[in-house]
């Protein structure tokens, strides 16, 4: 709102701090409207989400179309596989009705949440990399319910059908975790219960693909990478599920001469701002 002409002489002699305060008050509404245009949609989505029986951790959501496209390009650049191949692998996971029903039915049977709808978010990248790299040994630390376990096992099952068998090993300290890792998905691997560092220390096979998703303290994460450092196969790839909050994988990559990139999620129609994938190769 313009300042009335009769007030101009008064404003000219006001102290600078007071002038600044008056400008802040004048433009407060404009700045508030700008900020709310970014934040209010997430708040409104959160209110609706809170009135449903949804998951309370490891949130499930799709990626925005542009974000999915960015992930395809990133995986293509890292693996050398064509954009169309990566897109096809991601679509393969998205359209896997058997896997989706397996996950949703088991989650409902466990009473974890009747309104849970499985979407894979950054796990599309996990899956596509596993399909391209065809790992003989794939380790995921931190299993929780087992959604990621089944996603990765699904990739290994398809790899095996194409003549490239592989084994999945999950590490998990909680004996009740991994309830979803059953049926055909459990035929290509198993869960090693106990402390992750201890399990990794005694693991004797070369590791082709490693996914960190266990204790989310930066120091513990870093110790996992140190533990597997000499066990990595040639061309092994490491995915860090905690790279949006720690520099552990970035630091490990610098110290061991590996390359590192980070993918930042943009969830579709969800209040959560997204996590990401740290990729060391």
């Amino acid at each position: 709102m313009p300042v009335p002409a009769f007030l101009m002489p008064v404003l000219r002699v006001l102290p600078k701090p007071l002038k600044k305060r008056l400008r802040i008050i004048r433009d407060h509404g404009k700045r508030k409207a700008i900020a709310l245009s970014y934040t209010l949609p997430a708040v409104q989505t959160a209110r609706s989400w809170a009135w449903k029986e949804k998951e309370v951790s490891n949130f499930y959501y799709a990626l925005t179309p542009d974000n999915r496209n960015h992930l395809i390009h990133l995986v293509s650049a890292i693996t050398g596989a064509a954009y169309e191949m990566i897109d096809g692998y991601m679509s393969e996971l998205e359209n896997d009705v058997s896997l989706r029903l397996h996950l949703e039915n088991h989650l409902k049977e466990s009473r974890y949440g009747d309104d849970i709808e499985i979407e894979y978010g950054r796990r599309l990248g996990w899956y596509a990399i596993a399909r391209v790299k065809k790992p003989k040994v794939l380790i995921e630390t931190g299993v929780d319910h087992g959604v990621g376990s089944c996603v990765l096992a699904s990739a290994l099952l398809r790899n095996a059908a194409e003549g490239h068998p592989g084994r999945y090993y999950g590490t998990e300290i909680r004996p009740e975790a991994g309830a979803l890792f059953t049926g055909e998905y459990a035929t290509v691997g198993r869960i090693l219960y106990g402390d992750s560092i201890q399990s990794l220390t005694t693991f004797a096979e070369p590791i082709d693909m490693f996914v960190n998703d266990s204790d989310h303290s930066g120091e513990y994460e870093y110790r996992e990478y140190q533990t597997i450092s000499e066990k990595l196969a040639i061309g092994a790839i490491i995915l860090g599920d905690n790279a949006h909050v720690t520099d552990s994988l970035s630091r490990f990559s610098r110290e061991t001469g590996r390359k590192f990139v980070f993918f930042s999620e943009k969830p579709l129609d969800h209040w959560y701002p997204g996590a990401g994938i740290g990729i060391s190769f």
Side-chain angles (χ1 to χ4, degrees), residues 78 150 224 254:
I78 289 170
C150 291
E224 284 194 356
R254 292 195 307 271

Side-chain angles (χ1 to χ4, degrees), residues 17-60:
L18 185 53
K19 287 181 180 179
K20 179 179 178 180
R21 183 60 182 167
L22 290 173
R23 290 197 305 271
I24 289 173
I25 293 171
R26 180 194 65 193
D27 296 332
H28 168 265
K30 181 193 297 184
R31 282 191 294 270
K32 181 178 179 181
I34 292 171
L36 289 177
S37 71
Y38 287 94
T39 59
L40 192 57
V43 172
Q44 292 171 335
T45 302
R47 287 173 177 167
S48 174
W49 176 91
W51 283 107
K52 297 178 181 179
E53 196 174 31
K54 291 284 192 177
E55 66 278 4
V56 295
S57 63
N58 286 325
F59 307 113
Y60 306 124

Side-chain angles (χ1 to χ4, degrees), residues 53-249:
E53 196 174 31
K54 291 284 192 177
E55 66 278 4
V56 295
S57 63
N58 286 325
F59 307 113
Y60 306 124
Y61 42 76
L63 303 177
T64 67
D66 282 346
N67 197 226
R68 182 184 184 277
N69 177 54
H70 296 162
L71 181 55
I72 295 172
H73 277 294
L74 180 61
V75 174
S76 175
I78 289 170
T79 63
Y83 177 99
E84 292 74 18
M85 177 180 286
I86 305 302
D87 186 21
Y89 285 149
M90 289 187 183
S91 296
E92 182 178 84
L93 174 59
E94 291 167 325
N95 297 320
D96 190 334
V97 176
S98 295
L99 174 60
R100 191 177 296 274
L101 288 175
H102 171 84
L103 296 174
E104 291 181 348
N105 289 339
H106 279 70
L107 284 170
K108 289 177 180 178
E109 288 172 5
S110 68
R111 307 306 302 168
Y112 184 48
D114 286 347
D115 297 320
I116 291 176
E117 299 172 288
I118 293 294
E119 296 292 350
Y120 300 110
R122 62 192 176 280
R123 295 182 185 89
L124 290 174
W126 298 11
Y127 181 89
I129 291 172
R131 289 288 278 128
V132 173
K133 298 292 287 183
K134 304 289 191 293
K136 294 179 181 179
V137 173
L138 191 166
I139 294 181
E140 177 194 19
T141 61
V143 171
D144 197 30
H145 294 285
V147 172
S149 307
C150 291
V151 165
L152 294 169
S154 178
L156 295 182
L157 285 167
R158 292 185 184 273
N159 289 348
E162 296 170 358
H164 302 280
R167 294 289 291 173
Y168 166 90
Y169 297 93
T171 68
E172 176 59 58
I173 199 167
R174 296 179 299 122
E176 72 276 12
L180 300 179
F181 191 60
T182 59
E184 63 174 330
Y185 306 103
T187 65
V188 292
R190 63 193 183 98
I191 298 174
L192 309 174
Y193 289 99
D195 178 76
S196 177
I197 300 294
Q198 293 179 6
S199 296
L200 294 173
T201 299
T202 59
F203 194 84
E205 300 178 55
I207 301 167
D208 300 291
M209 182 171 170
F210 183 84
V211 182
N212 163 267
D213 192 17
S214 59
D215 185 323
H216 279 196
S217 72
E219 187 53 39
Y220 191 91
E221 178 189 353
Y222 182 71
R223 286 176 57 205
E224 284 194 356
Y225 301 141
Q226 287 182 309
T227 303
I228 65 166
S229 181
E230 300 301 320
K231 304 173 187 286
L232 294 172
I234 296 174
I237 191 164
I238 303 173
L239 306 185
D241 199 57
N242 202 33
H244 60 299
V245 292
T246 80
D247 72 338
S248 297
L249 186 54

